[in-house]
Amino acid sequence: MRGLIIGRYQPFHKGHLEVIKCILKEVDELIIGVGSAQISHTLENPFTAGERITMIFESLKEEGLENKCHYIIPIPDIWNNSLWVRHVIALTPKFNIVYTGNPLSRRLFMEEGFEVRIPPLFDRLKYSGTEIRKRMIKGENWEELVPFAVVRIIKEIKGVERLRDISKSDKITYLKSGDTSP
Ligand code: NAD
């Protein structure tokens, strides 16, 4: 049996890793779809698809699981929810079962006749991309929420500096420069 889990992984965190470990007990092969693959360098989606794929692969390697997740596939968004599942099918090997906690993804796969399982949540308030990105911007401890491999990769690509840069407002920089003209 081949399963699919799809997420944005901005960034890949310990909650994602735990959920993948649980799913691997139920399926023979797992496809990890990296959603919103075309988006990067924004506050909600700071990391590129390539960076996210590396984070996932290296985290799985750290756990000795890299051979069990057979595919990590980037999946760009499309502007048509009713066609999205067809789009995912076109980009991935055949799968029988979908794992997602995202209500929209769940609904779309169910409407196309897929069995959808909701994976258990691991401390969702703490292990969430939103919380991690917030801590990165505020200079708080984000490292404890992600696998070691992800800490290493984010440091290598200067990911925190990128996020802080894109979180700056033009307006504030401009006013701070002392120029008050519009
Ligand atoms: P996400 O990274 O927030 O979550 C990925 C998965 O991990 C989800 O199933 C989530 O429930 C689970 N998860 C997150 N934190 C967890 C924790 N602490 N413990 C256990 N599990 C946890 O990503 P997402 O928002 O689910 O990603 C859905 C993707 O599908 C997005 O990229 C979205 O754009 C895409 N999508 C696109 C379309 C379209 O293009 N029309 C339509 C629907 C969905």
Side-chain angles (χ1 to χ4, degrees):
M1 188 168 64
R2 192 181 287 138
L4 167 77
I5 179 167
I6 191 153
R8 281 185 305 124
Y9 310 113
Q10 287 285 10
F12 187 75
H13 56 63
K14 286 181 179 171
H16 294 134
L17 182 60
E18 284 309 311
V19 112
I20 286 174
K21 284 190 198 165
C22 282
I23 296 172
L24 285 173
K25 292 181 188 146
E26 296 181 12
V27 297
D28 305 307
E29 292 184 6
L30 181 63
I31 303 164
I32 302 177
V34 177
S36 306
Q38 82 286 10
I39 311 179
S40 69
H41 295 77
T42 69
L43 279 179
E44 287 199 340
N45 296 282
F47 305 111
T48 67
E51 289 163 350
R52 289 177 272 157
I53 288 171
T54 313
M55 288 176 201
I56 296 167
F57 183 76
E58 291 298 321
S59 302
L60 295 174
K61 211 160 97 182
E62 210 165 63
E63 298 281 322
L65 296 172
E66 71 274 22
N67 294 329
K68 292 198 143 207
C69 295
H70 289 75
Y71 313 91
I72 306 176
I73 298 180
I75 301 178
D77 292 332
I78 58 168
W79 289 104
N80 190 332
N81 282 335
S82 64
L83 294 179
W84 182 64
V85 171
R86 292 274 123 205
H87 170 68
V88 175
I89 290 170
L91 293 175
T92 54
K94 200 169 161 44
F95 53 89
N96 324 82
I97 183 160
V98 178
Y99 293 86
T100 177
N102 179 302
L104 173 62
S105 305
R106 186 163 73 235
R107 161 108 331 247
L108 297 177
F109 277 107
M110 274 166 45
E111 286 184 6
E112 289 292 329
F114 280 93
E115 181 187 345
V116 180
R117 293 190 190 162
I118 303 176
L121 283 175
F122 295 92
D123 204 343
R124 184 66 165 122
L125 287 181
K126 203 163 101 171
Y127 296 124
S128 96
T130 307
E131 172 66 18
I132 295 165
R133 295 190 304 275
K134 188 198 85 189
R135 288 191 189 192
M136 285 175 168
I137 291 172
K138 290 186 158 184
E140 294 171 0
N141 182 355
W142 56 273
E143 291 93 335
E144 66 174 353
L145 305 182
V146 302
F148 290 124
V150 174
V151 175
R152 198 182 65 242
I153 291 161
I154 289 178
K155 290 194 170 161
E156 273 169 20
I157 62 172
K158 299 198 185 328
V160 175
E161 289 87 331
R162 179 190 300 171
L163 190 56
R164 287 195 190 141
D165 258 356
I166 56 186
S167 74
K168 285 178 191 158
S169 150
D170 273 3
K171 186 100 181 158
I172 291 166
T173 315
Y174 175 67
L175 288 174
K176 272 190 180 158
S177 76
D179 188 344
T180 51
S181 55

